[in-house]
Amino acid sequence: MSREEEIRSELFDHTLNGHAPEVKALTEEGLKLGMNPMDILFKALIPSLEEVGRRFEKGDFFVPEMLIAARAMQGALVILRPLIAETGAKPIGKVVIGTVKGDIHDIGKNLVIIMMEGAGFDVVDLGVNVAPEKFVAAVQQHEPHIVGFSAFLTTTMPMFKVNIEALQKASLREKVHVMVGGAPVTEEYARQSGADTYSPDASIATRQAKAIVGAAQAAESSALEQAVDLIDKTLRKG
Ligand code: B1M
């Protein structure tokens, strides 16, 4: 086994057991050896958290185990984030995102943010347990292309619909694209909630966000072309 393979396997085990100092040290060692930050994330840390979830479901793990595993993972994310997210390029679009009211899971949301920032988006993170009024105020203030709702519990998924209704009430629904995601969410559920886009993971979410912004910009420039056309015709008539 190469040292890189050992690091991946040790990262998996130490995250599973919530050993934050080891996870931090192994992440740093892996990076020093030239390991790709995305590999560390997707081939070691995320699979480990998935295993935490499986054990919790079976009753082998309880909330404290889940919490310390999540903390260990967050420690590695602090190190990986700047390496994945910093592009230095001019923002290609704006996104407001948060975990819905009643839900405090944030690792999945934070990964979406890291990947979107890495792709050049300006992302406003509203955090966790975000009330509908807070989403509405942020959309009013930041005028994003996309507002993103994350939910990780079947009991908090209904907040998608509540948030969308709050946007409608504030006459903002037509002005912003609604993207939703989170472990228990499905395409079908997202559609029934009234969302525009469902994303199963952070990298697909980022690809979709690029397409959404591209389409919005194309629509803007076509509206501009039409306006120039109209002015042209009016001037010619005059
Ligand atoms: Co909780 N938890 N948890 N938990 N937790 C789950 C979600 C659960 C599936 C575990 C299980 O039973 N297998 C289960 C939910 C069951 C359900 O509703 N169907 C569960 C439960 C029940 C609970 C509590 C109710 C437990 C209790 O108290 N009895 C409680 C609820 C607290 C609350 O929110 N009110 C609770 C608490 C916690 C901790 C605090 C201990 C901790 C969270 C720490 C934190 O986030 N800071 C925790 C953890 C760690 C988990 C698991 C193990 C891991 C979640 C995670 O980070 N996954 C989780 C089990 C699991 O998911 N396998 C579980 C890794 C992450 C990268 O994946 O979150 O899917 P994911 O994110 C993906 C996609 O979903 C997508 O992209 C992300 C990256 O690729 N995505 C988007 C996410 N948001 C998106 C938004 C988008 C687009 C894509 O656009 C806007």
Side-chain angles (χ1 to χ4, degrees), residues 42 46 49-54 56-57 63-64 66-71 73-74 97 102-109 111-112 116 147-156 179-184 198-203 205:
F42 287 100
I46 293 178
L49 268 200
E50 283 166 359
E51 179 57 23
V52 172
R54 277 191 289 274
F56 178 76
E57 233 168 304
V63 173
M66 227 163 33
L67 192 58
I68 56 167
R71 286 215 185 113
M73 159 112 178
Q74 304 265 34
I97 189 168
D103 200 323
I104 59 163
H105 294 85
D106 66 355
I107 297 173
K109 167 188 70 66
L111 280 178
V112 174
M116 285 195 178
V147 61
F149 307 139
S150 287
F152 304 91
L153 298 167
T154 41
T155 50
T156 57
M179 179 184 275
V180 298
Y198 158 73
S199 303
D201 65 43
S203 69

Tab-separated table of all heavy atoms in Angstrom, residues 42 46 49-54 56-57 63-64 66-71 73-74 97 102-109 111-112 116 147-156 179-184 198-203 205, ligand 1:
chain	number	residue	atom	x	y	z
A	42	PHE	N	-13.418	13.527	-1.270
A	42	PHE	CA	-14.405	12.592	-1.822
A	42	PHE	C	-14.034	11.121	-1.661
A	42	PHE	O	-14.897	10.261	-1.757
A	42	PHE	CB	-14.681	12.923	-3.301
A	42	PHE	CG	-15.498	14.170	-3.447
A	42	PHE	CD1	-14.898	15.388	-3.768
A	42	PHE	CD2	-16.871	14.160	-3.230
A	42	PHE	CE1	-15.645	16.549	-3.868
A	42	PHE	CE2	-17.628	15.313	-3.327
A	42	PHE	CZ	-17.017	16.515	-3.645
A	46	ILE	N	-15.774	12.111	3.010
A	46	ILE	CA	-17.217	11.940	2.782
A	46	ILE	C	-17.629	10.465	2.946
A	46	ILE	O	-18.611	10.177	3.649
A	46	ILE	CB	-17.653	12.534	1.418
A	46	ILE	CG1	-17.495	14.058	1.471
A	46	ILE	CG2	-19.092	12.168	1.087
A	46	ILE	CD1	-17.840	14.798	0.202
A	49	LEU	N	-18.091	9.784	6.609
A	49	LEU	CA	-19.335	10.319	7.197
A	49	LEU	C	-20.545	9.499	6.757
A	49	LEU	O	-21.510	9.347	7.506
A	49	LEU	CB	-19.537	11.771	6.781
A	49	LEU	CG	-18.980	12.842	7.691
A	49	LEU	CD1	-19.668	14.170	7.423
A	49	LEU	CD2	-19.177	12.506	9.166
A	50	GLU	N	-20.469	8.969	5.533
A	50	GLU	CA	-21.571	8.113	5.077
A	50	GLU	C	-21.656	6.860	5.949
A	50	GLU	O	-22.733	6.395	6.303
A	50	GLU	CB	-21.379	7.740	3.598
A	50	GLU	CG	-21.765	8.896	2.685
A	50	GLU	CD	-21.292	8.734	1.248
A	50	GLU	OE1	-20.633	7.716	0.932
A	50	GLU	OE2	-21.561	9.640	0.451
A	51	GLU	N	-20.482	6.351	6.320
A	51	GLU	CA	-20.441	5.177	7.205
A	51	GLU	C	-20.987	5.553	8.595
A	51	GLU	O	-21.707	4.761	9.218
A	51	GLU	CB	-18.993	4.649	7.295
A	51	GLU	CG	-18.788	3.456	8.195
A	51	GLU	CD	-19.648	2.229	7.840
A	51	GLU	OE1	-20.085	2.103	6.677
A	51	GLU	OE2	-19.901	1.401	8.743
A	52	VAL	N	-20.663	6.776	9.054
A	52	VAL	CA	-21.211	7.243	10.346
A	52	VAL	C	-22.738	7.179	10.279
A	52	VAL	O	-23.401	6.670	11.190
A	52	VAL	CB	-20.753	8.698	10.644
A	52	VAL	CG1	-21.461	9.253	11.869
A	52	VAL	CG2	-19.244	8.760	10.853
A	53	GLY	N	-23.297	7.677	9.166
A	53	GLY	CA	-24.752	7.682	8.989
A	53	GLY	C	-25.323	6.271	9.018
A	53	GLY	O	-26.356	6.023	9.646
A	54	ARG	N	-24.622	5.342	8.321
A	54	ARG	CA	-25.108	3.948	8.287
A	54	ARG	C	-25.127	3.364	9.701
A	54	ARG	O	-26.066	2.704	10.107
A	54	ARG	CB	-24.218	3.091	7.373
A	54	ARG	CG	-24.615	3.213	5.892
A	54	ARG	CD	-23.898	2.169	5.056
A	54	ARG	NE	-22.476	2.431	4.911
A	54	ARG	CZ	-21.943	3.224	3.974
A	54	ARG	NH1	-22.714	3.809	3.085
A	54	ARG	NH2	-20.645	3.418	3.911
A	56	PHE	N	-25.318	5.001	12.529
A	56	PHE	CA	-26.360	5.669	13.320
A	56	PHE	C	-27.718	5.017	13.033
A	56	PHE	O	-28.488	4.728	13.943
A	56	PHE	CB	-26.381	7.158	12.967
A	56	PHE	CG	-27.441	7.942	13.687
A	56	PHE	CD1	-27.291	8.284	15.027
A	56	PHE	CD2	-28.596	8.341	13.033
A	56	PHE	CE1	-28.268	9.007	15.697
A	56	PHE	CE2	-29.581	9.062	13.696
A	56	PHE	CZ	-29.417	9.397	15.030
A	57	GLU	N	-27.942	4.748	11.749
A	57	GLU	CA	-29.213	4.138	11.340
A	57	GLU	C	-29.391	2.756	11.968
A	57	GLU	O	-30.482	2.373	12.359
A	57	GLU	CB	-29.205	3.991	9.820
A	57	GLU	CG	-30.422	4.597	9.158
A	57	GLU	CD	-30.213	4.689	7.665
A	57	GLU	OE1	-29.201	5.309	7.236
A	57	GLU	OE2	-31.018	4.123	6.944
A	63	VAL	N	-25.983	10.154	18.733
A	63	VAL	CA	-25.705	11.542	18.341
A	63	VAL	C	-24.291	12.001	18.735
A	63	VAL	O	-23.599	12.614	17.923
A	63	VAL	CB	-26.801	12.495	18.883
A	63	VAL	CG1	-26.443	13.948	18.625
A	63	VAL	CG2	-28.142	12.173	18.236
A	64	PRO	N	-23.802	11.713	19.952
A	64	PRO	CA	-22.453	12.196	20.290
A	64	PRO	C	-21.380	11.688	19.313
A	64	PRO	O	-20.493	12.445	18.920
A	64	PRO	CB	-22.208	11.638	21.698
A	64	PRO	CG	-23.555	11.393	22.251
A	64	PRO	CD	-24.451	11.035	21.101
A	66	MET	N	-21.861	10.881	16.192
A	66	MET	CA	-22.090	11.587	14.933
A	66	MET	C	-21.460	12.982	15.001
A	66	MET	O	-20.840	13.458	14.063
A	66	MET	CB	-23.608	11.709	14.716
A	66	MET	CG	-23.981	11.341	13.360
A	66	MET	SD	-25.699	10.970	12.992
A	66	MET	CE	-26.796	11.900	13.946
A	67	LEU	N	-21.654	13.602	16.172
A	67	LEU	CA	-21.172	14.974	16.356
A	67	LEU	C	-19.643	15.035	16.332
A	67	LEU	O	-19.064	15.905	15.659
A	67	LEU	CB	-21.710	15.499	17.697
A	67	LEU	CG	-21.577	16.972	17.966
A	67	LEU	CD1	-22.268	17.787	16.884
A	67	LEU	CD2	-22.196	17.327	19.305
A	68	ILE	N	-18.972	14.118	17.018
A	68	ILE	CA	-17.503	14.218	17.041
A	68	ILE	C	-16.903	13.855	15.678
A	68	ILE	O	-15.890	14.404	15.275
A	68	ILE	CB	-16.813	13.439	18.206
A	68	ILE	CG1	-17.194	11.973	18.189
A	68	ILE	CG2	-17.069	14.083	19.551
A	68	ILE	CD1	-16.299	11.136	19.094
A	69	ALA	N	-17.580	12.958	14.954
A	69	ALA	CA	-17.104	12.642	13.592
A	69	ALA	C	-17.236	13.881	12.712
A	69	ALA	O	-16.325	14.221	11.944
A	69	ALA	CB	-17.911	11.487	13.007
A	70	ALA	N	-18.375	14.564	12.855
A	70	ALA	CA	-18.611	15.785	12.046
A	70	ALA	C	-17.573	16.849	12.391
A	70	ALA	O	-17.039	17.523	11.510
A	70	ALA	CB	-20.014	16.307	12.300
A	71	ARG	N	-17.254	16.973	13.686
A	71	ARG	CA	-16.247	17.976	14.098
A	71	ARG	C	-14.882	17.646	13.503
A	71	ARG	O	-14.153	18.540	13.070
A	71	ARG	CB	-16.144	18.015	15.626
A	71	ARG	CG	-17.328	18.694	16.236
A	71	ARG	CD	-16.936	19.492	17.481
A	71	ARG	NE	-18.158	20.016	18.086
A	71	ARG	CZ	-18.630	19.625	19.261
A	71	ARG	NH1	-17.976	18.753	19.981
A	71	ARG	NH2	-19.739	20.149	19.735
A	73	MET	N	-14.305	16.081	10.746
A	73	MET	CA	-14.380	16.411	9.312
A	73	MET	C	-14.274	17.927	9.103
A	73	MET	O	-13.593	18.402	8.201
A	73	MET	CB	-15.719	15.891	8.782
A	73	MET	CG	-16.181	16.543	7.512
A	73	MET	SD	-16.128	15.367	6.183
A	73	MET	CE	-16.764	16.319	4.832
A	74	GLN	N	-14.958	18.703	9.966
A	74	GLN	CA	-14.932	20.171	9.830
A	74	GLN	C	-13.507	20.697	9.957
A	74	GLN	O	-13.116	21.633	9.266
A	74	GLN	CB	-15.795	20.844	10.912
A	74	GLN	CG	-17.233	20.380	10.958
A	74	GLN	CD	-18.180	21.269	10.160
A	74	GLN	OE1	-17.779	21.793	9.131
A	74	GLN	NE2	-19.412	21.386	10.594
A	97	ILE	N	-27.361	31.126	0.194
A	97	ILE	CA	-27.639	29.733	0.576
A	97	ILE	C	-27.741	29.585	2.092
A	97	ILE	O	-27.087	30.328	2.845
A	97	ILE	CB	-26.550	28.795	-0.007
A	97	ILE	CG1	-26.912	27.325	0.168
A	97	ILE	CG2	-25.196	29.071	0.571
A	97	ILE	CD1	-26.025	26.373	-0.623
A	102	GLY	N	-35.074	24.765	11.575
A	102	GLY	CA	-35.258	23.494	12.294
A	102	GLY	C	-34.143	22.493	12.045
A	102	GLY	O	-34.121	21.427	12.641
A	103	ASP	N	-33.210	22.855	11.170
A	103	ASP	CA	-32.170	21.905	10.744
A	103	ASP	C	-30.796	22.519	10.990
A	103	ASP	O	-30.530	23.651	10.554
A	103	ASP	CB	-32.367	21.640	9.242
A	103	ASP	CG	-31.704	20.352	8.777
A	103	ASP	OD1	-30.610	20.039	9.281
A	103	ASP	OD2	-32.275	19.689	7.901
A	104	ILE	N	-29.930	21.763	11.690
A	104	ILE	CA	-28.610	22.335	11.994
A	104	ILE	C	-27.467	21.620	11.261
A	104	ILE	O	-26.303	21.869	11.539
A	104	ILE	CB	-28.336	22.346	13.519
A	104	ILE	CG1	-28.393	20.926	14.082
A	104	ILE	CG2	-29.312	23.261	14.253
A	104	ILE	CD1	-27.738	20.778	15.451
A	105	HIS	N	-27.787	20.716	10.341
A	105	HIS	CA	-26.730	20.057	9.558
A	105	HIS	C	-26.114	21.082	8.605
A	105	HIS	O	-26.849	21.806	7.930
A	105	HIS	CB	-27.296	18.908	8.725
A	105	HIS	CG	-27.811	17.771	9.555
A	105	HIS	ND1	-29.080	17.757	10.073
A	105	HIS	CD2	-27.225	16.611	9.947
A	105	HIS	CE1	-29.259	16.642	10.761
A	105	HIS	NE2	-28.146	15.917	10.701
A	106	ASP	N	-24.786	21.127	8.559
A	106	ASP	CA	-24.219	22.122	7.635
A	106	ASP	C	-23.048	21.634	6.793
A	106	ASP	O	-22.542	22.376	5.944
A	106	ASP	CB	-23.841	23.416	8.371
A	106	ASP	CG	-22.706	23.225	9.370
A	106	ASP	OD1	-22.267	22.074	9.575
A	106	ASP	OD2	-22.271	24.236	9.930
A	107	ILE	N	-22.581	20.403	6.995
A	107	ILE	CA	-21.395	19.962	6.249
A	107	ILE	C	-21.702	19.919	4.742
A	107	ILE	O	-20.912	20.404	3.926
A	107	ILE	CB	-20.893	18.605	6.763
A	107	ILE	CG1	-20.457	18.758	8.229
A	107	ILE	CG2	-19.737	18.085	5.918
A	107	ILE	CD1	-20.095	17.460	8.903
A	108	GLY	N	-22.852	19.341	4.391
A	108	GLY	CA	-23.233	19.250	2.971
A	108	GLY	C	-23.364	20.633	2.347
A	108	GLY	O	-22.862	20.894	1.253
A	109	LYS	N	-24.023	21.543	3.074
A	109	LYS	CA	-24.176	22.918	2.580
A	109	LYS	C	-22.802	23.571	2.408
A	109	LYS	O	-22.530	24.222	1.392
A	109	LYS	CB	-25.031	23.737	3.552
A	109	LYS	CG	-24.979	25.235	3.292
A	109	LYS	CD	-25.672	26.027	4.377
A	109	LYS	CE	-24.982	26.041	5.714
A	109	LYS	NZ	-23.679	26.736	5.750
A	111	LEU	N	-20.010	22.202	1.781
A	111	LEU	CA	-19.319	21.657	0.600
A	111	LEU	C	-19.828	22.305	-0.676
A	111	LEU	O	-19.059	22.602	-1.593
A	111	LEU	CB	-19.523	20.148	0.524
A	111	LEU	CG	-18.627	19.346	1.441
A	111	LEU	CD1	-18.936	17.877	1.324
A	111	LEU	CD2	-17.162	19.581	1.098
A	112	VAL	N	-21.144	22.515	-0.723
A	112	VAL	CA	-21.717	23.195	-1.898
A	112	VAL	C	-21.083	24.594	-2.018
A	112	VAL	O	-20.665	25.017	-3.101
A	112	VAL	CB	-23.266	23.291	-1.790
A	112	VAL	CG1	-23.847	24.125	-2.925
A	112	VAL	CG2	-23.887	21.896	-1.784
A	116	MET	N	-18.863	25.945	-5.109
A	116	MET	CA	-19.365	27.089	-5.894
A	116	MET	C	-18.360	28.246	-5.865
A	116	MET	O	-18.112	28.878	-6.887
A	116	MET	CB	-20.729	27.535	-5.385
A	116	MET	CG	-21.836	26.589	-5.788
A	116	MET	SD	-23.429	27.351	-5.541
A	116	MET	CE	-24.533	26.082	-6.124
A	147	VAL	N	-31.102	31.275	-5.110
A	147	VAL	CA	-31.194	31.097	-3.661
A	147	VAL	C	-31.243	29.592	-3.422
A	147	VAL	O	-31.987	28.871	-4.089
A	147	VAL	CB	-32.398	31.856	-3.035
A	147	VAL	CG1	-33.742	31.387	-3.582
A	147	VAL	CG2	-32.391	31.708	-1.512
A	148	GLY	N	-30.392	29.109	-2.492
A	148	GLY	CA	-30.284	27.663	-2.257
A	148	GLY	C	-30.758	27.287	-0.868
A	148	GLY	O	-30.379	27.911	0.121
A	149	PHE	N	-31.622	26.256	-0.817
A	149	PHE	CA	-32.098	25.744	0.471
A	149	PHE	C	-31.563	24.330	0.660
A	149	PHE	O	-31.775	23.466	-0.193
A	149	PHE	CB	-33.633	25.677	0.499
A	149	PHE	CG	-34.329	26.963	0.129
A	149	PHE	CD1	-35.458	26.936	-0.684
A	149	PHE	CD2	-33.870	28.185	0.600
A	149	PHE	CE1	-36.109	28.108	-1.024
A	149	PHE	CE2	-34.520	29.365	0.266
A	149	PHE	CZ	-35.647	29.333	-0.552
A	150	SER	N	-30.892	24.093	1.793
A	150	SER	CA	-30.455	22.743	2.139
A	150	SER	C	-31.340	22.203	3.256
A	150	SER	O	-31.655	22.936	4.202
A	150	SER	CB	-29.024	22.761	2.684
A	150	SER	OG	-28.099	22.997	1.680
A	151	ALA	N	-31.718	20.918	3.146
A	151	ALA	CA	-32.442	20.252	4.239
A	151	ALA	C	-31.919	18.827	4.335
A	151	ALA	O	-31.716	18.166	3.319
A	151	ALA	CB	-33.947	20.249	3.972
A	152	PHE	N	-31.684	18.355	5.559
A	152	PHE	CA	-31.071	17.038	5.755
A	152	PHE	C	-31.961	16.097	6.548
A	152	PHE	O	-31.567	14.970	6.853
A	152	PHE	CB	-29.700	17.205	6.424
A	152	PHE	CG	-28.808	18.129	5.637
A	152	PHE	CD1	-28.775	19.487	5.894
A	152	PHE	CD2	-28.059	17.635	4.584
A	152	PHE	CE1	-27.994	20.341	5.142
A	152	PHE	CE2	-27.279	18.475	3.815
A	152	PHE	CZ	-27.248	19.834	4.093
A	153	LEU	N	-33.137	16.587	6.905
A	153	LEU	CA	-34.074	15.761	7.670
A	153	LEU	C	-35.404	15.727	6.923
A	153	LEU	O	-35.812	16.759	6.351
A	153	LEU	CB	-34.310	16.385	9.057
A	153	LEU	CG	-33.097	16.509	9.978
A	153	LEU	CD1	-33.417	17.422	11.153
A	153	LEU	CD2	-32.670	15.141	10.488
A	154	THR	N	-36.067	14.574	6.943
A	154	THR	CA	-37.383	14.512	6.281
A	154	THR	C	-38.350	15.495	6.942
A	154	THR	O	-39.243	16.012	6.289
A	154	THR	CB	-37.944	13.078	6.333
A	154	THR	OG1	-37.670	12.545	7.612
A	154	THR	CG2	-37.310	12.183	5.296
A	155	THR	N	-38.104	15.765	8.233
A	155	THR	CA	-39.016	16.675	8.944
A	155	THR	C	-38.781	18.147	8.598
A	155	THR	O	-39.634	18.985	8.890
A	155	THR	CB	-38.842	16.506	10.466
A	155	THR	OG1	-37.442	16.588	10.756
A	155	THR	CG2	-39.394	15.194	10.954
A	156	THR	N	-37.639	18.479	8.014
A	156	THR	CA	-37.398	19.898	7.675
A	156	THR	C	-37.558	20.177	6.178
A	156	THR	O	-37.597	21.344	5.778
A	156	THR	CB	-36.001	20.366	8.150
A	156	THR	OG1	-34.999	19.517	7.567
A	156	THR	CG2	-35.886	20.339	9.657
A	179	MET	N	-32.833	26.696	-5.893
A	179	MET	CA	-32.153	25.395	-5.973
A	179	MET	C	-32.251	24.727	-4.600
A	179	MET	O	-32.079	25.391	-3.581
A	179	MET	CB	-30.679	25.622	-6.335
A	179	MET	CG	-29.877	24.354	-6.424
A	179	MET	SD	-28.136	24.681	-6.742
A	179	MET	CE	-28.127	24.834	-8.492
A	180	VAL	N	-32.557	23.425	-4.590
A	180	VAL	CA	-32.637	22.730	-3.304
A	180	VAL	C	-31.803	21.451	-3.312
A	180	VAL	O	-31.522	20.889	-4.374
A	180	VAL	CB	-34.104	22.373	-2.921
A	180	VAL	CG1	-34.958	23.606	-2.759
A	180	VAL	CG2	-34.728	21.414	-3.925
A	181	GLY	N	-31.405	21.020	-2.111
A	181	GLY	CA	-30.634	19.783	-2.002
A	181	GLY	C	-30.523	19.353	-0.555
A	181	GLY	O	-31.000	20.043	0.351
A	182	GLY	N	-29.885	18.201	-0.361
A	182	GLY	CA	-29.724	17.639	0.979
A	182	GLY	C	-29.987	16.148	0.918
A	182	GLY	O	-30.746	15.693	0.047
A	183	ALA	N	-29.372	15.409	1.821
A	183	ALA	CA	-29.385	13.932	1.758
A	183	ALA	C	-30.752	13.296	1.464
A	183	ALA	O	-30.838	12.465	0.574
A	183	ALA	CB	-28.771	13.377	3.035
A	184	PRO	N	-31.842	13.664	2.163
A	184	PRO	CA	-33.092	12.927	1.913
A	184	PRO	C	-33.918	13.474	0.745
A	184	PRO	O	-34.962	12.924	0.415
A	184	PRO	CB	-33.870	13.122	3.224
A	184	PRO	CG	-33.372	14.409	3.768
A	184	PRO	CD	-31.992	14.638	3.261
A	198	TYR	N	-33.176	20.692	-8.554
A	198	TYR	CA	-32.728	19.802	-7.473
A	198	TYR	C	-31.302	19.360	-7.798
A	198	TYR	O	-31.003	18.988	-8.938
A	198	TYR	CB	-33.646	18.572	-7.397
A	198	TYR	CG	-32.974	17.397	-6.725
A	198	TYR	CD1	-32.756	17.399	-5.353
A	198	TYR	CD2	-32.533	16.296	-7.463
A	198	TYR	CE1	-32.112	16.334	-4.730
A	198	TYR	CE2	-31.893	15.217	-6.841
A	198	TYR	CZ	-31.681	15.251	-5.488
A	198	TYR	OH	-31.041	14.200	-4.880
A	199	SER	N	-30.423	19.380	-6.790
A	199	SER	CA	-29.049	18.910	-6.999
A	199	SER	C	-28.718	17.806	-6.018
A	199	SER	O	-28.846	17.997	-4.811
A	199	SER	CB	-28.048	20.023	-6.735
A	199	SER	OG	-28.332	21.101	-7.531
A	200	PRO	N	-28.255	16.666	-6.510
A	200	PRO	CA	-27.924	15.571	-5.593
A	200	PRO	C	-26.602	15.762	-4.853
A	200	PRO	O	-26.405	15.203	-3.779
A	200	PRO	CB	-27.850	14.354	-6.511
A	200	PRO	CG	-27.605	14.891	-7.874
A	200	PRO	CD	-28.178	16.267	-7.916
A	201	ASP	N	-25.661	16.523	-5.451
A	201	ASP	CA	-24.396	16.729	-4.739
A	201	ASP	C	-23.755	18.061	-5.130
A	201	ASP	O	-24.234	18.758	-6.020
A	201	ASP	CB	-23.428	15.552	-4.953
A	201	ASP	CG	-22.989	15.411	-6.398
A	201	ASP	OD1	-22.691	16.437	-7.030
A	201	ASP	OD2	-22.948	14.269	-6.898
A	202	ALA	N	-22.639	18.358	-4.436
A	202	ALA	CA	-22.041	19.685	-4.580
A	202	ALA	C	-21.489	19.941	-5.984
A	202	ALA	O	-21.580	21.061	-6.494
A	202	ALA	CB	-20.937	19.852	-3.543
A	203	SER	N	-20.937	18.910	-6.612
A	203	SER	CA	-20.333	19.205	-7.917
A	203	SER	C	-21.413	19.368	-8.984
A	203	SER	O	-21.310	20.252	-9.841
A	203	SER	CB	-19.265	18.178	-8.300
A	203	SER	OG	-19.850	16.963	-8.568
A	205	ALA	N	-24.403	20.506	-8.313
A	205	ALA	CA	-24.995	21.811	-7.981
A	205	ALA	C	-24.198	22.937	-8.636
A	205	ALA	O	-24.757	23.894	-9.183
A	205	ALA	CB	-25.021	21.998	-6.467
B	1	B1M	CO1	-27.825	13.962	11.637
B	1	B1M	N1	-29.083	12.905	10.579
B	1	B1M	N2	-29.220	14.288	12.986
B	1	B1M	N3	-26.437	14.885	12.613
B	1	B1M	N4	-26.606	13.246	10.374
B	1	B1M	C1	-28.629	12.429	9.277
B	1	B1M	C2	-28.956	13.454	8.191
B	1	B1M	C3	-29.410	11.056	9.118
B	1	B1M	C4	-29.664	10.665	7.646
B	1	B1M	C5	-28.679	9.934	9.877
B	1	B1M	C6	-29.352	8.583	9.690
B	1	B1M	O1	-30.347	8.309	10.310
B	1	B1M	N5	-28.807	7.755	8.822
B	1	B1M	C7	-30.729	11.375	9.932
B	1	B1M	C8	-31.883	11.969	9.120
B	1	B1M	C9	-32.963	10.952	8.831
B	1	B1M	C10	-34.058	11.572	8.054
B	1	B1M	O2	-34.619	12.571	8.370
B	1	B1M	N6	-34.382	10.903	6.967
B	1	B1M	C11	-30.203	12.341	10.989
B	1	B1M	C12	-30.856	12.611	12.224
B	1	B1M	C13	-32.092	11.774	12.516
B	1	B1M	C14	-30.406	13.597	13.132
B	1	B1M	C15	-31.062	14.023	14.460
B	1	B1M	C16	-32.588	14.176	14.431
B	1	B1M	C17	-30.596	13.005	15.537
B	1	B1M	C18	-31.199	13.202	16.896
B	1	B1M	O3	-31.023	14.204	17.534
B	1	B1M	N7	-31.936	12.182	17.308
B	1	B1M	C19	-30.358	15.389	14.741
B	1	B1M	C20	-31.133	16.574	14.118
B	1	B1M	C21	-30.594	17.928	14.529
B	1	B1M	C22	-31.255	19.041	13.721
B	1	B1M	O4	-30.801	19.350	12.650
B	1	B1M	N8	-32.309	19.626	14.260
B	1	B1M	C23	-29.065	15.194	14.017
B	1	B1M	C24	-27.866	15.813	14.398
B	1	B1M	C25	-26.653	15.631	13.771
B	1	B1M	C26	-25.326	16.184	14.290
B	1	B1M	C27	-25.447	17.595	14.883
B	1	B1M	C28	-24.800	15.252	15.361
B	1	B1M	C29	-24.401	16.067	13.006
B	1	B1M	C30	-24.402	17.346	12.127
B	1	B1M	C31	-23.158	18.153	12.267
B	1	B1M	C32	-23.069	19.209	11.191
B	1	B1M	O5	-23.588	19.124	10.103
B	1	B1M	N9	-22.368	20.269	11.548
B	1	B1M	C33	-25.135	14.985	12.220
B	1	B1M	C34	-24.521	14.252	11.148
B	1	B1M	C35	-23.018	14.415	10.989
B	1	B1M	C36	-25.267	13.400	10.296
B	1	B1M	C37	-24.755	12.476	9.157
B	1	B1M	C38	-24.046	11.297	9.817
B	1	B1M	C39	-23.807	13.085	8.162
B	1	B1M	C40	-24.364	14.309	7.440
B	1	B1M	C41	-23.298	14.828	6.514
B	1	B1M	O6	-22.618	15.777	6.828
B	1	B1M	N10	-23.085	14.114	5.379
B	1	B1M	C42	-26.111	12.087	8.430
B	1	B1M	C43	-26.072	10.729	7.779
B	1	B1M	C44	-25.786	10.791	6.287
B	1	B1M	O7	-26.049	11.787	5.626
B	1	B1M	N11	-25.309	9.726	5.729
B	1	B1M	C45	-27.142	12.469	9.418
B	1	B1M	C46	-22.008	14.386	4.441
B	1	B1M	C47	-22.427	15.428	3.423
B	1	B1M	C48	-21.248	15.735	2.518
B	1	B1M	O8	-23.457	14.884	2.612
B	1	B1M	O9	-25.247	16.118	3.769
B	1	B1M	O10	-25.803	14.617	1.800
B	1	B1M	P1	-24.877	15.558	2.451
B	1	B1M	O11	-24.631	16.793	1.426
B	1	B1M	C49	-24.463	16.640	0.005
B	1	B1M	C50	-25.795	16.648	-0.771
B	1	B1M	O12	-26.907	16.412	0.036
B	1	B1M	C51	-25.802	17.950	-1.521
B	1	B1M	O13	-24.423	18.290	-1.647
B	1	B1M	C52	-23.722	17.880	-0.478
B	1	B1M	C53	-22.274	17.633	-0.838
B	1	B1M	O14	-22.121	16.766	-1.925
B	1	B1M	N12	-26.462	19.129	-0.943
B	1	B1M	C54	-26.928	20.129	-1.754
B	1	B1M	C55	-26.640	19.489	0.317
B	1	B1M	N13	-27.241	20.690	0.378
B	1	B1M	C56	-27.416	21.105	-0.879
B	1	B1M	C57	-27.966	22.282	-1.389
B	1	B1M	C58	-28.018	22.439	-2.779
B	1	B1M	C59	-27.526	21.460	-3.617
B	1	B1M	C60	-26.964	20.289	-3.136
B	1	B1M	O15	-28.524	23.531	-3.354
B	1	B1M	C61	-28.928	24.598	-2.567
